[in-house]
Each structure stands twice: as C-alpha cells, then as structure tokens.
Amino acid sequence: MIPFLDLRAQYTSIKDEIDAAALRVLASAQYVLGEEVAELEREFASYCGTRHAIAVNTGTSALHLALLALGVGPGDEVITVPFTFVATVSAICYTGALPVFVDVEPVTLTMDATKIEAAITPRTKAIVPVHLYGQMADMNAIKAIADRHGLPIIEDACQAHGAEYKGRRAGSIGVSGCFSFYPGKNLGACGEGGMVVTSDDSQARTMRMLRDWGQESRYHHVLKGFNYRMDGIQGAILRVKLRHLDAWTQARRAHAARYSALLAGSDLVKAPLDVADRRHVYHIYAVRCRDREALQHALSIEGIQFGLHYPIPVHLQKAHADLGYAPGDFPRSEAAARSVLSLPIYPEMTVRQVEQVVSVVEQEAHVH
C-alpha cells in the first residue's frame, strides 16, 4: 500500500525534536500564544521575506483577518477563483462581502489575469489569487491590474509554503499572504494552525488585535475581535518543522520531477507544468486524466491512495448556490474539476514508490 501522504514517517524522522519542543511548552505553561509562537512569527516572517507574521488558529482565520484588516465588509466584492478549496470563499463570506469569480489559466489552474478587469466594479475591494497545489499565480500580471485600479491583493498561499515567483516568496508580494498549517500541508502542525504575513505595520497591528478579541492591551477592547490565537505547542512544533522545510521541499520537487519524466508522453495523463520563473513546492502533484474513473479504479486495486483536488468547483457547490452561478460559467475550472487526480507525494516517499505509482498509470494507459 502506498499512502497519499505519511505523517507517521515524518514524525518518526524528527521525533526527538518534536517531543522536546512539546515538552518545553508543557513545562513553560505558555499554552496559548507565548514565546514559542512569537519566535515562530519572527522566523516565518524572515522565511517569507516580510516584516511581520501573525500566528492564528487556522488558514481560514488567516484569510478572514487579512480581509477584515483591509476593511472588507457587507456590500463589498472580492475577486477570487472558483477552483480552490472552499475556505477561500468562506472567508470572504464571513466578512459579509460577495465573492466574485474569475476563471483559471488552462495550464497552471491559477487565476487568469486576463479575466480580472471584466469582473471589477465600483464595489470591488480586493483580489485574492490562490497559489494552487504549491505553484504561485502570475503575480506580475495580477498586480499590474490591481495597481491600475488601486486594489489590494491578499495571497491565498495556504498550499504554497516556500513557493517562489521570480525569486520572491509566496506571501511577500500582496499586501498580505495567508498560510495554513493543517497537518497535511508542506509545513503542517500536529493539529490546526495558520499565519498571515505582511510588511504593512498598520495591517499587522490590526490583525494582532483581531485574533485576540480586539484587545489593544489586556481587557481594553478597541475592535470587535475573535478568538483566533495559536496554541503554544503548535508554535513550538512548527518551529522544529520550519527548519526542515527546505529539505522536504527539495525532496518533493525531486519526486515531482521523476513523476513528470516518467509520465512524459503518457496517453492517459498529463503531468503538471513547473513554470520556469516560479518555484513549485508540490503540495499536490495533480495530473489531468483522460479517463479519471478508470485510473481511480486501477490505483485502488493496487492499494495506491490518491486525492481529487477538487471534484466540484466552488461556484457549483450547493452551499454557494446563492451566488447565482451555473454550469458553464467557468469552463476551465469545470474541466479541471472533471479531470484532475492527485498522486501520492511526500518527502519520505521512495523512488521505488514513485515508480510503482507510474507503473500502474502506464498499465492502465495500455488498457486504453
């Protein structure tokens, strides 16, 4: 059996470091925020190339606070893509604003900058590109349009820890960038966690208050805030894992390169493109399938786990039917949802396992 990811293997490889970090927090009794979280914020801001990092309890909370800090609220519109995890859109809805979708590029499946201007109205307050699967959107093209219209960008970098665009790290190009530390992410907590990074001092100050009940100082509440604080244990564990992130990313990229080389010329699947001026960190290795159902069946028989990211775009989800979109509105997102399949990829994976997965894909291709 080849798992989709193997968190046990990751823990085993750094067990002593993780255990020591968790025990250090237990001994300190700093269970919420505290010095470990503050150190993580400093280290992650440095890693991303920003002045500030604000640790929170989830990536969704990170997006929510980044939007609120910009003043997004009822009556506003926020432009994003429908081919993303639902949290991107939910965070916009939490503010009372209206999500407005634009379709994705056909190859990278990230925001198509050529579609943005047609979606801008006097109510547009922000643009939220999604760095899908670990590859950054075309930020120069998006930023040129945003700047022309005076619109801030919030980067949804929840799948893109350490990804780069023309030498700049994910989260450092927009006014803020949002990350998730869900356990399965490239940098994952042993539980939930998230982070907003920014180089805007005012935004950072606002988000720090909003995550902690809007307090400027203890029991002095100047904003209507939330309980979005990070646990001390998660902060300590993430500090350990951050030290290993670049090595893990190199391993992911090596596995992805081997997959792509072995799958080149396949009649059944099309490998993802690693765009030249971007550093793809391969949170997900998603192929496009000619017959996804057949490949799912073949992988299942051989005990190889896989994922579908994502089988229904957000504009066609029942929960968001009130947005008024219909099938056919975003053909590239819908085509991707019908054809993408995520193959196993994680740092601890072996070359032999990659070859085994490809062997099953090739066998299924011969059947077709």
Side-chain angles (χ1 to χ4, degrees):
M1 196 275 281
I2 299 177
F4 184 65
L5 77 164
D6 192 343
L7 294 179
R8 285 192 189 92
Q10 185 189 79
Y11 170 62
T12 301
S13 72
I14 53 172
K15 181 181 187 301
D16 291 347
E17 293 175 80
I18 293 289
D19 291 358
L23 289 170
R24 194 165 63 240
V25 175
L26 292 175
S28 75
Q30 293 186 351
Y31 302 137
V32 179
L33 296 177
E35 191 53 37
E36 292 285 352
V37 173
E39 285 295 325
L40 172 67
E41 290 175 328
R42 286 188 278 273
E43 291 163 5
F44 196 69
S46 175
Y47 183 81
C48 293
T50 60
R51 281 206 299 273
H52 305 282
I54 301 92
V56 293
N57 58 340
T58 68
T60 311
S61 298
L63 288 162
H64 187 198
L65 294 192
L67 289 160
L68 290 176
L70 286 174
V72 174
D76 294 330
E77 294 176 357
V78 177
I79 294 172
T80 192
V81 292
F83 195 63
T84 180
F85 182 60
V86 72
T88 310
V89 178
S90 295
I92 296 168
C93 293
Y94 291 170
T95 69
L98 181 72
V100 174
F101 295 127
V102 297
D103 213 348
V104 295
E105 295 178 349
V107 177
T108 65
L109 303 181
T110 57
M111 181 177 281
D112 184 346
T114 67
K115 306 286 188 185
I116 295 172
E117 279 191 298
I120 294 173
T121 75
R123 292 180 296 279
T124 305
K125 200 68 176 277
I127 301 173
V128 182
V130 178
H131 301 328
L132 192 73
Y133 301 153
Q135 182 159 244
M136 291 181 66
D138 188 355
M139 292 304 294
N140 279 5
I142 294 168
K143 195 170 188 307
I145 295 164
D147 289 350
R148 189 157 63 242
H149 292 270
L151 294 170
I153 295 171
I154 295 172
E155 298 175 61
D156 182 339
C158 287
Q159 300 181 0
H161 315 70
E164 294 178 7
Y165 177 89
K166 299 183 186 295
R168 296 182 68 181
R169 283 267 165 94
S172 69
I173 298 175
V175 68
S176 58
C178 301
F179 294 85
S180 166
F181 299 133
Y182 185 75
K185 296 295 169 74
N186 291 24
L187 179 60
C190 293
E192 298 275 9
M195 188 81 79
V196 191
V197 297
T198 183
S199 291
D200 185 305
D201 298 344
S202 174
Q203 293 280 309
R205 182 174 177 274
T206 298
M207 288 187 280
R208 286 190 192 284
M209 288 192 287
L210 285 172
R211 74 166 173 191
D212 189 17
W213 295 114
Q215 295 181 101
E216 189 173 45
S217 57
R218 193 161 178 81
Y219 303 130
H220 290 255
H221 303 269
V222 297
L223 298 171
K224 291 185 172 69
F226 305 87
N227 182 3
Y228 282 175
R229 300 168 298 206
M230 178 180 281
D231 289 347
I233 285 179
Q234 302 305 340
I237 288 169
L238 286 163
R239 290 185 68 203
V240 170
K241 291 191 174 188
L242 181 58
R243 296 197 290 270
H244 296 275
L245 181 57
D246 282 339
W248 290 342
T249 298
Q250 287 175 1
R252 284 178 177 273
R253 285 180 54 78
H255 294 326
R258 181 167 292 274
Y259 265 136
S260 294
L262 294 173
L263 292 171
S266 171
D267 292 330
L268 184 61
V269 302
K270 187 174 182 180
L273 181 68
D274 198 341
V275 179
D277 59 2
R278 308 179 207 182
R279 182 188 187 230
H280 198 325
V281 297
Y282 289 101
H283 170 57
I284 298 291
Y285 186 89
V287 296
R288 303 288 292 273
C289 306
R290 185 161 54 83
D291 186 343
R292 184 169 70 185
E293 193 172 322
L295 182 55
Q296 287 178 250
H297 182 67
L299 292 168
S300 296
I301 287 174
E302 296 298 327
I304 297 170
Q305 294 182 353
F306 56 86
L308 300 179
H309 302 93
Y310 297 94
I312 306 172
V314 180
H315 72 288
L316 299 182
Q317 293 282 359
K318 184 177 179 182
H320 293 287
D322 59 327
L323 296 176
Y325 293 107
D329 284 347
F330 305 103
R332 290 173 182 168
S333 294
E334 292 168 36
R338 289 191 297 268
S339 63
V340 291
L341 182 141
S342 308
L343 297 176
I345 192 164
Y346 48 95
E348 301 79 15
M349 202 174 180
T350 65
V351 169
R352 176 68 183 133
Q353 286 176 313
V354 172
E355 291 171 347
Q356 284 179 281
V357 174
V358 171
S359 176
V360 174
V361 176
E362 287 177 340
Q363 288 170 21
E364 188 57 31
H366 290 317
V367 171
H368 279 68

